Amino acid sequence: MKNRALALVGSLLLFSLFLLASCVSTKLTSSWQDAEYQGSVVDNVLVVGISDNLENRKLFEDALVKELQKNGVVAIASADAISAEKELDKDTIKAEAARLGMGAVMVTHVNSVAAESVYEPPPTGRAPYAYYGQLDTDLPAISQDIYRPGAYRSETLARLSTNLYDRETEKLIWTASSETVDPKSVKDVVGPLSKLLVKDLRDKKLIK
C-alpha cells in the first residue's frame, strides 16, 4: 500500500512537470520608451505586422487592433487599409497613416524562431508523513528527498519585436521584445502577446 502511494506521488510530480513543460507561455523580455513621450498619450495607431503570409499578418494585426480598441485607442489594421498588391514599405505605410489621420504607426516583426535545448532540474519532494509506518521503509524517505533525475528537453522559442513610431517625425516612441515558448500556431502567440503589449503601453502611460 505504501509503495503504491509513493509511486502515485512520484507520478503526480512527473505529470505536473509535463504540464508545465508543455504549456505555451509568452512574456515581454524588454521594453523601452522615449523619455520625451512620458506622459504623452497615443490615441490613434496604424498597426502593421510584417509577414510574407497575409493570413498570419491579419491574425496579429486584428488581435492587436482589438486589444488597443478595448483601451480607447483608435486602431486600424494595415491589411484592411493597404492593398495586398502594394509593397509594405516605409513610404506606403507613412502615406496610408497620414491619409487615415493616424498619429502613430506600430510595427511588429519576427526576430527568430528556433529550437533550443533546455535543462529541467530534478524535481524533489518529501514523501507525506501519512505514508510512514515501518523503520525499514521510513528511514530513506526521512533522510533524503525523493529524487528524479534531471533531463534536457527541446523547446521552440519565437522572438518578436514591436516598435511604435511617431508618424510625422518617424521617431521611435516605444519598443518591446517578446518571447513565446513552444507556440503551435500563430494564434498561440498573437492573443497573449497583444494583451502584454497593450498592458505595457498602458503602464508606461502611452495610452489611457
Side-chain angles (χ1 to χ4, degrees):
M1 181 68 177
K2 295 185 185 70
N3 289 338
R4 285 201 299 271
L6 289 171
L8 177 60
V9 172
S11 297
L12 289 172
L13 283 170
L14 290 175
F15 181 64
S16 298
L17 284 173
F18 171 77
L19 286 178
L20 289 172
S22 61
C23 288
V24 176
S25 64
T26 298
K27 64 180 180 181
L28 295 189
T29 55
S30 67
S31 71
W32 169 92
Q33 75 177 107
D34 184 349
E36 292 182 10
Y37 278 86
Q38 288 182 357
S40 299
V41 175
V42 176
D43 54 13
N44 47 65
V45 181
L46 178 65
V47 176
V48 182
I50 303 297
S51 175
D52 293 333
N53 186 306
L54 182 59
E55 182 180 355
N56 289 344
R57 175 184 158 194
K58 278 188 62 63
L59 279 172
F60 179 79
E61 291 183 356
D62 289 348
L64 190 47
V65 163
K66 182 179 179 181
E67 201 63 32
L68 286 165
Q69 289 176 343
K70 280 191 205 176
N71 287 267
V73 179
V74 176
I76 297 176
S78 73
D80 293 335
I82 301 173
S83 169
E85 284 72 38
K86 285 188 177 181
E87 185 178 354
L88 205 60
D89 57 18
K90 185 194 81 170
D91 292 338
T92 300
I93 293 170
K94 188 174 180 181
E96 196 60 31
R99 183 185 73 81
L100 294 167
M102 301 289 102
V105 176
M106 182 176 288
V107 180
T108 293
H109 69 279
V110 176
N111 291 324
S112 65
V113 178
E116 295 188 8
S117 184
V118 177
Y119 178 70
E120 287 288 348
T124 59
R126 295 188 181 280
Y129 286 101
Y131 300 132
Y132 296 164
Q134 292 182 334
L135 182 64
D136 61 341
T137 56
D138 291 355
L139 282 178
I142 294 170
S143 62
Q144 63 182 357
D145 287 341
I146 297 170
Y147 177 76
R148 299 290 183 273
Y152 283 92
R153 65 178 177 83
S154 178
E155 65 181 17
T156 301
L157 294 178
R159 296 185 174 97
L160 288 80
S161 290
T162 303
N163 298 336
L164 182 67
Y165 300 94
D166 180 88
R167 191 257 305 171
E168 288 187 0
T169 65
E170 301 180 17
K171 189 174 182 180
L172 183 66
I173 300 172
W174 166 90
T175 182
S177 297
S178 64
E179 181 179 276
T180 300
V181 178
D182 286 334
K184 302 299 183 292
S185 67
V186 174
K187 288 182 179 179
D188 284 341
V189 180
V190 297
L193 179 56
S194 295
K195 287 180 171 58
L196 288 173
L197 293 174
V198 172
K199 181 181 183 303
D200 194 67
L201 287 168
R202 192 170 60 244
D203 289 345
K204 287 182 167 55
K205 304 189 186 307
L206 287 168
I207 62 174
K208 292 180 180 178

